[in-house]
Amino acid sequence: MTAEKIESWSSLENGTSNDDGKLLKSPAEKKLVRKINYTFMPLVILILFVQFVDKSTLTISALFGIYEDTGITHDEFGWLGSIFYMGYLAIQIPNQYFLQRVPISKYLGIILLVWGVTLACTALGNNFSQLAAMRFLLGFFEGCTYPAVSKLLNNIMNFQNKIFLLISTHYRKSEQVIWFGTMFATNAASIIIGSLMGYGVGNMDGHLGIRAWKWSMIIFGIITFFLGIPFFLFLADKPKSRWFHLTEEEEKIVEARTRDNAVVQNHDIKRSHIIEALKEPRLYCFFFTSLFLNLQNGAITTFASQIIASMGFSVSILLLIYISICFSMLLSYSLTSVLLNLPYGAAIMLLVGIFTYLSHKLNDIGYVAMASCVPPILGAILLLVLPIGPVQLLGLYLSSTSPTYILLQTYISNNVGGYTKKIFYTSANIVAFCLGNFVGPLMMVSIQAPRYIGAQIGFAVADFLCILMFFYVRWSSGRENARRRKLKDEGMIIEQDNELQDKTDKEDLTFIYRL
């Protein structure tokens, strides 16, 4: 589906186009978007917040006695970080079944209740085996969140499975990069607040005979449990949800926005969509790009506090540095963030903001994604070559792959048509996400601490390979766009109402790929 078709179809309800062909939203659509933002996004942000905080409790626990209380080793700690993603991966197949058959609000509400209980019960673990079992279950239940929200965003505003699909559902293609960025900004915010709370929890060590690392899991588990109630009752999980209180005019605009995303929801799994996806080289490019990016992400997320500690900082200073890094990641999504000039994290603050901004303003994903791979390569190299000490913070700040992963997910969301096919692509991305985050912490072996030479070299090579795969996807998509435009000019493509027929991007020759 071309942008021109969308604009002409919805010009009365949705506004007009400027000279560059960019859609200008009408006042009515702007009002609708604000209504969606205020009604829908607060709950989305909350679930992303608890998802990342709960997952990161392990990182903070390393500072508050989990090693001493359970007798685990450095390498076993890495396994605790990895095994979470085994559970995350295990849920994906049944998750896809429920994704198309169960109301997302009810599904996520129940998941949050069980997930909260699981996290709180992790405090009962006394050895590696018990902790590993609870981490697996925690990943199992948390693995439902990203895919679910993605679906909601795609349904309502025209986005790994329910979270990403939610965004793809609710937001237009041109809007999705901002909300994908918001997802990762929420992750950063969750570390800020979670770390601050963790610092407070550290002062509870020994209260009622319970160690601080156990208190963190109990408290965050209770928060997650009670969040399940408003999700079950109030989450708007459809484009025309009653919680939006849509007018007749707004319902027409919602239909136009749904057409813009080339997504028609249905409850049938189309085998032809899956076969088509398996034959496309870009599927494997997206898969391995996600896997390679998350090697570094999984390792840094799990071992960040210990890497900083190896630089000679105290626990108190370590937490403050960790918070400042994440704070800079959050603020980078605002163009005014550079004015804050935080002493720590200035590099990440600029990088994430710049790449998200450039992709949105230049209407380009591929070249911007390639450029975003360079900082984490430099980060890995600096952690290798700089003297051990505070100067290594520079390498740590540059090691974030979040900007690139945002653009990868936007690429998938914008350029895959057909409901089953989009779910399959998103699911493949989730599998790669899990594998990368599973393998990454295992690469940080104790005998190579504190530099982790093998891991850092591996991360740099993986990030370089991502550049090559982004280049191929952009080149092949541009070539296909040129072929389709030529066929259209020759009269070989007949304009038809394909938007609501659940055709894939390959079947619908009027579909133009976003580069």
Side-chain angles (χ1 to χ4, degrees):
M1 173 182 52
T2 64
E4 291 83 357
K5 291 177 68 179
I6 289 297
E7 291 159 5
S8 62
W9 185 91
S10 59
S11 60
L12 292 177
E13 292 88 5
N14 293 13
T16 58
S17 302
N18 61 16
D19 294 336
D20 297 325
K22 184 177 181 179
L23 182 65
L24 300 177
K25 297 185 182 70
S26 69
E29 183 173 3
K30 291 180 180 178
K31 180 181 177 181
L32 171 64
V33 172
R34 287 195 297 269
K35 184 183 293 187
I36 294 171
N37 291 345
Y38 296 147
T39 304
F40 172 70
M41 288 307 300
L43 285 175
V44 171
I45 289 172
L46 281 174
I47 193 173
L48 292 172
F49 171 81
V50 299
Q51 192 265 354
F52 204 80
V53 165
D54 291 358
K55 182 171 61 178
S56 300
T57 51
L58 180 68
T59 302
I60 300 297
S61 296
L63 307 176
F64 292 145
I66 193 172
Y67 277 105
E68 296 80 2
D69 290 352
T70 62
I72 61 174
T73 65
H74 176 283
D75 290 343
E76 287 175 335
F77 184 87
W79 271 102
L80 292 179
S82 295
I83 203 169
F84 174 94
Y85 292 96
M86 292 180 63
Y88 202 105
L89 179 60
I91 188 60
Q92 295 311 313
I93 293 179
N95 193 40
Q96 295 312 309
Y97 176 86
F98 291 117
L99 184 65
Q100 292 189 260
R101 289 170 174 80
V102 179
I104 297 178
S105 59
K106 307 302 182 278
Y107 183 46
L108 282 180
I110 294 173
I111 287 293
L112 280 165
L113 296 175
V114 182
W115 157 10
V117 172
T118 302
L119 179 60
C121 289
T122 305
L124 300 175
N126 293 315
N127 54 50
F128 172 74
S129 298
Q130 294 173 358
L131 291 173
M134 298 309 295
R135 289 286 296 177
F136 177 88
L137 290 176
L138 187 63
F140 187 85
F141 294 120
E142 287 194 32
C144 302
T145 56
Y146 272 127
V149 173
S150 179
K151 178 179 179 182
L152 285 177
L153 287 171
N154 193 31
N155 285 339
I156 297 176
M157 294 183 135
N158 285 341
F159 169 16
Q160 280 165 331
N161 277 342
K162 287 203 181 280
I163 298 288
F164 287 140
L165 281 174
L166 284 175
I167 289 177
S168 300
T169 300
H170 286 35
Y171 290 94
R172 287 189 184 275
K173 292 180 181 180
S174 59
E175 299 164 349
Q176 288 171 20
V177 67
I178 298 300
W179 288 109
F180 281 123
T182 299
M183 286 180 62
F184 286 88
T186 301
N187 286 350
S190 68
I191 303 179
I192 300 166
I193 300 174
S195 297
L196 288 170
M197 293 178 66
Y199 186 77
V201 169
N203 293 318
M204 297 176 62
D205 193 25
H207 182 63
L208 299 179
I210 301 175
R211 293 300 305 274
W213 69 271
K214 294 187 177 184
W215 272 120
S216 67
M217 294 182 179
I218 293 171
I219 292 172
F220 289 122
I222 292 173
I223 293 173
T224 302
F225 178 87
F226 282 103
L227 183 61
I229 298 173
F231 258 82
F232 188 92
L233 297 176
F234 304 119
L235 178 65
D237 56 4
K238 295 181 293 185
K240 298 181 180 180
S241 170
R242 63 191 178 96
W243 298 113
F244 291 136
H245 304 290
L246 299 176
T247 64
E248 183 177 347
E249 179 186 14
E250 288 173 336
E251 288 186 359
K252 292 180 180 179
I253 296 174
V254 167
E255 292 174 0
R257 292 168 65 84
T258 301
R259 291 169 183 249
D260 185 28
N261 284 342
V263 176
V264 180
Q265 292 193 63
N266 61 72
H267 298 290
D268 298 323
I269 298 176
K270 295 187 176 181
R271 184 180 179 184
S272 61
H273 285 202
I274 297 175
I275 293 175
E276 180 179 306
L278 289 170
K279 293 180 179 179
E280 295 178 342
R282 64 174 180 161
L283 172 69
Y284 304 98
C285 288
F286 289 147
F287 179 90
F288 285 106
T289 298
S290 180
L291 190 155
F292 291 158
L293 290 174
N294 283 291
L295 292 173
Q296 198 166 4
N297 177 71
I300 298 300
T301 299
T302 302
F303 285 95
S305 62
Q306 296 176 74
I307 291 174
I308 298 173
S310 70
M311 300 175 189
F313 295 104
S314 67
V315 172
S316 298
I317 298 299
L318 187 157
L319 278 173
L320 291 175
I321 292 172
Y322 190 44
I323 292 168
S324 68
I325 293 171
C326 302
F327 190 47
S328 68
M329 291 172 63
L330 168 68
L331 294 175
S332 63
Y333 289 89
S334 168
L335 296 178
T336 62
S337 62
V338 66
L339 300 176
L340 298 179
N341 193 28
L342 292 177
Y344 300 109
I348 295 179
M349 179 172 59
L350 289 173
L351 290 172
V352 181
I354 287 174
F355 291 126
T356 304
Y357 173 78
L358 287 177
S359 178
H360 179 66
K361 292 299 181 181
L362 300 179
N363 195 30
D364 181 274
I365 303 174
Y367 288 144
V368 178
M370 284 184 267
S372 71
C373 291
V374 176
I377 293 176
L378 293 177
I381 294 174
L382 291 177
L383 285 173
L384 279 176
V385 302
L386 291 176
I388 295 176
V391 69
Q392 285 186 304
L393 285 172
L394 178 60
L396 190 63
Y397 296 152
L398 293 176
S399 294
S400 173
T401 58
S402 293
T404 313
Y405 194 73
I406 292 169
L407 296 170
L408 170 65
Q409 185 57 50
T410 305
Y411 234 149
I412 295 173
S413 180
N414 284 192
N415 290 328
V416 179
Y419 194 62
T420 299
K421 185 177 180 180
K422 179 164 285 192
I423 288 178
F424 188 79
Y425 261 81
T426 305
S427 300
N429 182 33
I430 289 292
V431 172
F433 170 86
C434 293
L435 291 176
N437 280 285
F438 175 81
V439 175
L442 300 181
M443 295 172 67
M444 309 284 278
V445 293
S446 59
I447 59 174
Q448 294 185 351
R451 287 198 180 274
Y452 304 104
I453 295 175
Q456 299 300 342
I457 292 175
F459 299 153
V461 172
D463 293 336
F464 177 75
L465 292 175
C466 290
I467 295 177
L468 299 181
M469 288 185 284
F470 274 123
F471 177 81
Y472 170 79
V473 171
R474 194 187 192 284
W475 169 78
S476 61
S477 297
R479 183 181 61 176
E480 178 62 18
N481 283 348
R483 185 183 75 87
R484 294 185 180 193
R485 289 192 178 101
K486 182 179 180 181
L487 290 175
K488 182 179 179 180
D489 293 341
E490 294 174 351
M492 302 297 291
I493 298 178
I494 302 175
E495 296 285 348
Q496 296 178 345
D497 187 15
N498 294 325
E499 290 93 340
L500 300 180
Q501 297 181 25
D502 194 24
K503 287 190 174 183
T504 67
D505 53 278
K506 187 174 182 180
E507 294 170 337
D508 181 9
L509 294 180
T510 63
F511 187 104
I512 297 299
Y513 296 100
R514 186 180 175 200
L515 304 179

